[in-house]
Structure formats: structure tokens, C-alpha cells
Amino acid sequence: MIAPIFDQLSALADPTRSRILLLLDRHELTVGELCTALRLPQSTVSRHLKILGDEGWIVVRAEGTTRRYRMIAARLEHASKRLWQLVRTQTAELPAAQQDARRLDAVLAQRRTKMISFFENAAGQWDRVRQDMIGARTDLLALLALLDDRWQVGDLGCGTGHVSDALAPCVQRVVAVDESGPMLQAARRRLSGHDNVDVRAGRLEALPLEDGELDAAVMFLVAHYIADPAAAMAEVARVLRPGGKFVLVDLMPHDREEYVLEMGHVWQGFDEAQACRWFEDHGFERARYRPLPADANAQGPALFVASGTRQSSRA
């Protein structure tokens, strides 16, 4: 037990190593950035970093061909933390360390300048860069965290469950409803990893839900299959609590007759007046209708999203 503490004392005995640790306790830095802040050659800085690394004072992170160094005080053992607190206080008072800090401010300012320059040059290609890096839907999926995690949400006409799959991590419970047996089987397979999704068989015109059971509901690309969308809207109003939110995503009006003939569509889309009338006639306030931006790779009709809030009291 004695040897390790004396090894640590030896590692910190050199003022230069203590100055390096002081900088790395505040920022993750490269060898080049440390050289600039300390006004020391690379060979000297690298030698000191190796000693500090061997004794467990710093961690190294590779980023491409660059190696970044950082001291993570929270990972130190209790005795090492106490030792560093004492050395840190003494080192910070050294004139050399204070000059290091001022030079490091200039290094970090230069780093920010490079970042700003990158964004200025990449602005015209940034959407593509982001999509290549994180994918096309990641940012939209992250916005689901805006949902209240106490909510009970209905995915009405859930199909194979892709909407429920996205909602489940963000709310307390999802009730996924569909009347197609094969669709429900596919949904149960997809949603088997979520313990807060309740998959139910039922028609949208007669939902298998209690009055006011849901805080929010979504109907995604389903309404154009329903012979009487108004009846489904009445059911949505019934199962939502007062103040609950309903979101409807569906097709805008189109002339694709093959969708009716080949895919069983009952409706060839809905316009704003039609959708908002359904909301208003069934006790929803603040009805809104908004066309969604077209996806360049999509071959189908344009989509809209309509939403409304269940009135707190209904006549």
C-alpha cells in the first residue's frame, strides 16, 4: 500500500507535471495545445504525459489520428483525490501556472475560430453532412422527448407498430390498436421489447378503450381507409381525457385512383376544411392543419398533420 502513494508523490513532484495536470483538470487537450500553453517542446510534454498516464492520473482518447488527454478527478481513488486537491491549490498559485492559463485561453479561442470557420464553409452542405453523420430521422425522434413521460398514448390503427415503437421509450404507456390480425401479429413482434405497450384488437369506430383513458392519441395514415372518419373522431374524443391531444397524419387530396383500386383506399385524401370540421364537430379546440414538407424520395401523395385539443367541458 505504501509504494503506490509514493509513486503518485513522485509523479506530482515535478512542477511541470503538476502544471500539465492543472490544465487537463479543466480541459481535454492535445499534445500540441499543451505545448503552446506550456511553451515546451513536444518531446518534453510527451515524456511527462507518459509518466502521468502510467501512474493513472490522466486518460487518453483517440480521435482519428489525434490523441486527446484529460484528467478526470472523479475517477481517482479517495487518497489520490485528497493529494491532488492539495497539489492543485499550490500549483494554481504559481506564476508559471497562471501564465499557462492565459496562453490556454488563446489556444481555446483559436479552436473556436476553427469551429466557426468549419460551419461557415459547410453551411451549404450541412443538411447532407448531418444526415450522413446521424441519419435522416434521428433529430425528429429525439424531439419525442418533449412528450410528457406520464402520458398514456393511443396509436390508433397501429399497423405493424412503427409509431408505437418510437413512442414507447418516451411515455408511460402506449395502447396500440388495429383490427387486422396479420398487422397485429407483426406489431407484437416489433414491440415485444417494450414492456409498456399494450397491443389490442379493435375497430377505430369502436375503440377497445375506456372513456378518458388516454392523454394523447395519434392516427397515422389510417383515416383514408375508414368508411366513416367522423365516427372514428367521435371515438377518439370519447377515449381522450379533457385537455388531451389528438394528432392526425394522412394524405392530402390527390388523383391517384390506383390507390383506391389496388390498396383499398376509401378516400383520396382530405383537405383542410374537411379535417378541421371533423375536429371542431367532435369537441376539439385549436384545430390546426399543416402540409408536411415533401420527401424527395417519396413516390406517394403529399401528407398533412392536423391536431386539436379535447375540450375541457363538452356541451
Side-chain angles (χ1 to χ4, degrees):
M1 294 295 294
I2 297 177
I5 191 65
F6 280 106
D7 289 343
Q8 291 177 349
L9 286 169
S10 176
L12 298 184
D14 187 297
T16 300
R17 287 197 284 274
S18 295
R19 287 165 56 198
I20 289 174
L21 278 183
L22 190 63
L23 296 177
L24 296 182
D25 191 18
R26 298 170 179 168
H27 302 281
E28 185 183 54
L29 301 169
T30 65
V31 172
E33 290 170 336
L34 284 167
C35 291
T36 301
L38 296 161
R39 288 288 192 268
L40 291 173
Q42 181 174 336
S43 58
T44 301
V45 172
S46 296
R47 175 169 52 83
H48 287 306
L49 287 172
K50 184 178 187 309
I51 294 171
L52 292 170
D54 290 344
E55 297 302 326
W57 285 102
I58 60 175
V59 295
V60 187
R61 180 175 67 89
E63 188 178 87
T65 59
T66 302
R67 293 168 67 83
R68 299 184 179 275
Y69 297 84
R70 181 72 193 264
M71 176 188 184
I72 304 179
R75 293 186 180 181
L76 298 176
E77 295 181 357
H78 181 66
S80 300
K81 287 181 185 178
R82 293 179 61 190
L83 176 60
W84 172 239
Q85 288 171 358
L86 177 62
V87 174
R88 185 182 191 279
T89 301
Q90 297 292 324
T91 303
E93 296 176 356
L94 295 174
Q98 294 170 7
Q99 291 183 29
D100 295 341
R102 286 191 287 271
R103 285 191 291 263
L104 181 60
D105 287 341
V107 170
L108 297 176
Q110 185 178 15
R111 185 193 287 181
R112 286 191 293 272
T113 300
K114 289 181 179 178
M115 179 188 68
I116 293 170
S117 176
F118 166 77
F119 283 112
E120 288 177 346
N121 294 330
Q125 306 176 45
W126 183 236
D127 286 347
R128 180 186 57 77
V129 171
R130 286 177 72 251
Q131 183 166 330
D132 290 346
M133 183 168 60
I134 66 171
R137 296 184 65 211
T138 304
D139 49 354
L140 299 179
L141 291 174
L143 293 178
L144 291 174
L146 292 170
L147 297 174
D148 193 318
D149 60 4
R150 299 167 296 181
W151 275 3
Q152 316 279 328
V153 180
D155 179 10
L156 310 180
C158 67
T160 60
H162 71 285
V163 172
S164 294
D165 191 30
L167 290 170
C170 304
V171 298
Q172 185 176 97
R173 184 171 68 112
V174 178
V175 180
V177 178
D178 207 284
E179 66 175 300
S180 166
M183 289 288 190
L184 288 171
Q185 288 180 4
R188 288 191 175 97
R189 287 194 297 270
R190 167 177 268 162
L191 301 170
S192 60
H194 299 293
D195 58 8
N196 65 333
V197 179
D198 182 2
V199 181
R200 302 182 187 179
R203 298 174 58 244
L204 299 185
E205 300 92 331
L207 290 169
L209 290 148
E210 299 296 326
D211 293 358
E213 184 174 344
L214 301 178
D215 298 290
V218 60
M219 195 179 290
F220 191 89
L221 295 180
V222 182
H224 55 266
Y225 284 107
I226 304 172
D228 188 358
M233 288 291 296
E235 276 292 274
V236 174
R238 177 184 68 80
V239 302
L240 278 176
R241 65 166 175 79
K245 187 84 170 183
F246 176 48
V247 174
L248 171 69
V249 178
D250 218 283
L251 306 177
M252 295 183 69
H254 63 87
D255 58 1
R256 306 283 190 86
E257 294 184 1
E258 65 271 21
Y259 285 11
V260 176
L261 299 174
E262 298 173 10
M263 301 176 66
H265 289 197
V266 178
W267 298 81
Q268 289 182 262
F270 308 100
D271 61 23
E272 181 174 2
Q274 194 171 26
C276 289
R277 185 169 62 250
W278 287 334
F279 277 84
E280 292 163 0
D281 288 350
H282 293 89
F284 287 89
E285 301 174 320
R286 300 194 299 277
R288 295 191 302 169
Y289 178 106
R290 180 171 63 86
L292 292 175
D295 187 324
N297 297 318
Q299 300 179 11
L303 305 180
F304 71 88
V305 57
S307 62
T309 302
R310 165 82 148 72
Q311 290 178 0
S312 298
S313 61
R314 299 183 67 194

